[in-house]
Amino acid sequence: MMRAFLVVMDSVGIGGAPDAGAFFNAGRPDTGANTLGHIAMACAEGRAEDRRSGPLAVPNLDRLGLFHALHLASGLAPSGHEPAATTGRWGAATEISPGKDTPSGHWELAGLPVPWDWTYFPDTVPAFPDDLVAKVCEIAGVDGILGNCHGSGTVMIEQFGEEHLKTGRPICYTSADSVFQIAAHEEAFGLDRLLTLCQTLAPHLHTMRVGRVIARPFVGQPGGFTRTTNRHDYAIRPPAPVLTNWVQDAGRRVYAVGKIGDIFSMTGIDEVRKGDDATLMRHLADLVDTAEDGSLIFANFVEFDSLYGHRRNIAGYARHLEWFDAELGRLLARLRAGDMLLLTADHGNDPSWSGTDHTRERVPVLVAGLGAGCLGLVAFTDVAASIAAHLGVPAQGPGHSFL
């Protein structure tokens, strides 16, 4: 029996979204944003030389068709990158959900376009309504919150961390995504207390159609705060069965690697493995060796997005792509006959773009283990339909298999 590995390279977009002009970063439309394309161009032009050098070196992704997919999606062919002869099947997927965020992208890849408009908080100070702030204070037992604005998580803890330690008030902030994030010190505030706060608050925000409440614990002292790996997302539950349910309902096992369990509120998932991207790669390698026949392994590698895209760090993003590519080469060599490994992304986050938010882009679809050739332009939902077809389980979504 065959296995399927669905691996999301979080935010590795390839430009060309037909509706990019309807999405904005710092007041600028996302038209022309291209995460992979602009990173490759910067590398070729010598503008990404921090702890790496030269053109973007991703030979394994290249052979699977990454640069062919880039050209298909956006027409871009960066100098210094003549695409390799392909050993995989490649294409580009277009999203229809009305958001460029993590739940929208993952739900649609799993066969369910988001059936509503998310609630977003305004980019004002304060950003949150008074009744929501009062609810946070009531649950946490505090007399106020810090932040109450849009911001990057690392900036928020640098700006408000010292005051948080003095007052005990949680740091609450949001972004262009439909999200409410709460940062608190693991020791001074307490990790369990933070998680309980977020878990208790989440149903209230979910009724508002806010997609996620995220616990963002950190440690350290003023001038040296760092976020920990104990982040937890309390996401709204998908309102209909998704790929994980289809596979589990067919009696197969579903493994979630990274934040997949959080994104889907554990629906249809048997086992979760977490950690930073290096740890997640070890988990994925272990599952390549040990996962049962017929199983689905659904993984997300978040650090492209969280460490480099939002922070607009082109060289760091390039380094992470090159690290991931080297690890991928070792994984590909260990796949079993009949395995399918499908690489894709959930949105873009162009580190050369204005602002700090995600960018609306098409995403690559690269398939290893099932021959070579062009898949063309496909839908996000076609990913779920194709994996279901490979595993021989009934698909319940609107997608069509491209296998």
Side-chain angles (χ1 to χ4, degrees):
M1 192 180 294
M2 307 174 203
R3 304 180 299 174
F5 297 83
L6 174 54
V7 179
V8 178
M9 303 177 291
D10 200 302
S11 85
V12 183
I14 52 176
D19 58 356
F23 296 83
F24 293 84
N25 257 286
R28 176 188 182 188
D30 286 344
T31 306
N34 193 321
T35 300
L36 176 69
H38 290 159
I39 292 169
M41 289 173 63
C43 290
E45 295 167 4
R47 295 185 287 109
E49 298 291 298
D50 181 11
R51 287 176 283 164
R52 62 159 310 282
S53 187
L56 183 65
V58 286
N60 295 297
L61 289 164
D62 190 4
R63 284 191 291 270
L64 288 177
L66 179 61
F67 288 102
H68 288 285
L70 170 65
H71 188 263
L72 172 69
S74 61
L76 189 64
S79 60
H81 280 281
E82 185 67 30
T86 58
T87 59
R89 304 185 70 180
W90 54 272
T94 306
E95 183 177 11
I96 63 170
S97 296
K100 52 175 178 176
D101 53 82
T102 294
S104 295
H106 281 77
W107 285 15
E108 195 167 327
L109 289 169
L112 179 66
V114 176
W116 53 62
D117 289 329
W118 296 110
T119 294
Y120 302 94
F121 294 108
D123 192 359
T124 57
V125 180
F128 308 125
D130 291 343
D131 60 339
L132 176 56
V133 173
K135 188 76 173 176
V136 175
C137 293
E138 175 190 345
I139 296 169
V142 296
D143 61 0
I145 66 170
L146 304 174
N148 203 345
C149 59
H150 281 235
S152 165
T154 52
V155 173
M156 291 292 99
I157 63 175
E158 289 169 6
Q159 184 175 349
F160 297 106
E162 184 172 4
E163 188 177 355
H164 165 71
L165 290 178
K166 291 178 179 177
T167 65
R169 295 174 177 174
I171 305 167
C172 301
Y173 61 102
T174 188
S175 70
D177 290 350
S178 179
V179 64
F180 188 89
Q181 305 192 69
I182 306 178
H185 198 280
E186 280 197 1
E187 297 155 1
F189 189 88
L191 177 59
D192 289 343
R193 183 184 176 197
L194 172 61
L195 296 177
T196 298
L197 168 60
C198 292
Q199 184 178 31
T200 305
L201 182 65
H204 177 77
L205 282 154
H206 292 166
T207 62
M208 297 168 59
R209 292 290 187 250
V210 174
R212 289 176 293 164
V213 177
I214 305 179
R216 289 286 199 174
F218 64 95
V219 293
Q221 297 298 322
F225 292 123
T226 57
R227 296 198 292 192
T228 76
T229 58
N230 292 319
R231 162 184 170 159
H232 193 93
D233 294 37
Y234 296 89
I236 208 166
R237 191 177 182 88
V242 293
L243 175 64
T244 54
N245 302 111
W246 311 343
V247 175
Q248 191 182 66
D249 291 348
R252 314 289 183 77
R253 192 163 179 81
V254 179
Y255 296 89
V257 178
K259 63 179 184 176
I260 297 298
D262 293 342
I263 294 167
F264 291 97
S265 296
M266 289 301 295
T267 181
I269 291 168
D270 295 296
E271 182 179 329
V272 174
R273 302 193 184 189
K274 287 192 170 185
D276 59 17
D277 275 10
T279 302
L280 297 182
M281 188 61 74
R282 292 193 290 272
H283 287 315
L284 185 56
D286 177 65
L287 289 166
V288 168
D289 292 339
T290 63
E292 303 90 339
D293 287 342
S295 56
L296 168 65
I297 299 87
F298 196 167
N300 171 283
F301 287 84
V302 72
E303 290 177 4
F304 299 104
D305 184 64
S306 62
L307 297 186
Y308 307 114
H310 287 299
R311 300 183 193 183
R312 297 302 190 250
N313 184 340
I314 296 174
Y317 208 127
R319 285 197 310 272
H320 207 61
L321 282 166
E322 291 170 341
W323 166 81
F324 182 88
D325 186 82
E327 296 292 330
L328 174 64
R330 289 185 271 274
L331 290 182
L332 292 174
R334 293 157 66 176
L335 293 175
R336 299 175 190 169
D339 282 347
M340 171 190 190
L341 188 150
L342 192 153
L343 295 152
T344 188
D346 51 344
H347 48 68
N349 200 346
D350 187 341
S352 73
W353 212 245
S354 57
T356 61
D357 297 319
H358 297 150
T359 42
R360 181 71 161 190
E361 301 178 42
R362 287 185 168 124
V363 300
V365 176
L366 310 176
V367 183
L370 299 179
C374 178
L375 300 169
L377 293 175
V378 301
F380 271 42
T381 53
D382 294 344
V383 169
S386 301
I387 289 174
H390 177 74
L391 293 176
V393 303
Q396 303 174 39
H400 303 279
S401 174
F402 46 65
L403 300 182

